[in-house]
Amino acid sequence: MVLICIQISSCSNKCSVEGLEVSELLSTVSKEKYQLNYCSLLKRALSGDNISIKKISLLNFDDAVGYDHGSILVDLIERIGEDTYLDSIKNINNNDKNKVKGYLDIGLMYSNKNKEEFSRKYLKDVFPKVYDFLCLK
């Protein structure tokens, strides 16, 4: 009985939001670093909420967490479309543009889905409008 209670009470931070898998590492680090629920923020972003799209895009992660985050951003843009994404980040500065571009480049290389249409492709080929916005200073 004690074992069952322990298993029930142990929490995993891994989640799935509309079919997008958020790694336990990404979820845990976002809670520790930003005191936010990454999965809830992603859900709002997927619904087209401009503030949430911008907020999730500007989070800063290091190492392996950055790879996971980049992959989620690629999936987010695929779902909501380039126009909605660009409308949400239209006022970011050049440093933030560079950061977002870096995450998207990594996300395309290491996509969770390893999609054929994204695998080994460049940002300018997959999301040309986003590329133009991020690369024009």
Side-chain angles (χ1 to χ4, degrees):
M1 185 61 130
V2 174
L3 182 60
I4 293 170
C5 293
I6 292 171
Q7 288 178 339
I8 291 172
S9 66
S10 67
C11 297
S12 172
N13 287 326
K14 184 177 179 179
C15 70
S16 177
V17 180
E18 296 183 26
L20 301 182
E21 295 294 324
V22 176
S23 72
E24 186 170 359
L25 180 62
L26 178 54
S27 184
T28 300
V29 171
S30 65
K31 280 183 183 173
E32 291 173 358
K33 188 172 184 176
Y34 295 107
Q35 292 75 48
L36 68 81
N37 184 319
Y38 191 94
C39 297
S40 295
L41 181 61
L42 177 59
K43 185 173 185 171
R44 291 190 308 273
L46 285 166
S47 75
D49 178 63
N50 286 344
I51 293 169
S52 298
I53 293 167
K54 183 176 181 179
K55 185 172 184 175
I56 203 167
S57 296
L58 298 179
L59 294 175
N60 192 33
F61 297 105
D62 300 317
D63 304 321
V65 184
Y67 289 80
D68 291 346
H69 180 61
S71 182
I72 292 291
L73 290 181
V74 167
D75 290 338
L76 173 65
I77 297 170
E78 178 192 23
R79 294 275 183 94
I80 64 173
E82 287 185 88
D83 292 331
T84 300
Y85 186 75
L86 288 172
D87 188 50
S88 301
I89 65 165
K90 63 186 172 197
N91 296 321
I92 64 173
N93 63 41
N94 287 339
N95 287 336
D96 287 337
K97 285 181 180 183
N98 288 333
K99 177 171 53 173
V100 171
K101 183 182 178 304
Y103 284 124
L104 294 176
D105 286 339
I106 289 169
L108 287 169
M109 285 192 282
Y110 299 98
S111 175
N112 284 332
K113 297 178 184 179
N114 197 18
K115 296 179 181 180
E116 189 173 304
E117 68 263 30
F118 290 166
S119 182
R120 303 191 199 304
K121 297 250 177 137
Y122 296 103
L123 181 60
K124 68 180 177 179
D125 299 323
V126 178
F127 301 124
K129 291 178 185 178
V130 172
Y131 174 81
D132 286 345
F133 171 76
L134 295 175
C135 291
L136 296 176
K137 306 297 182 212

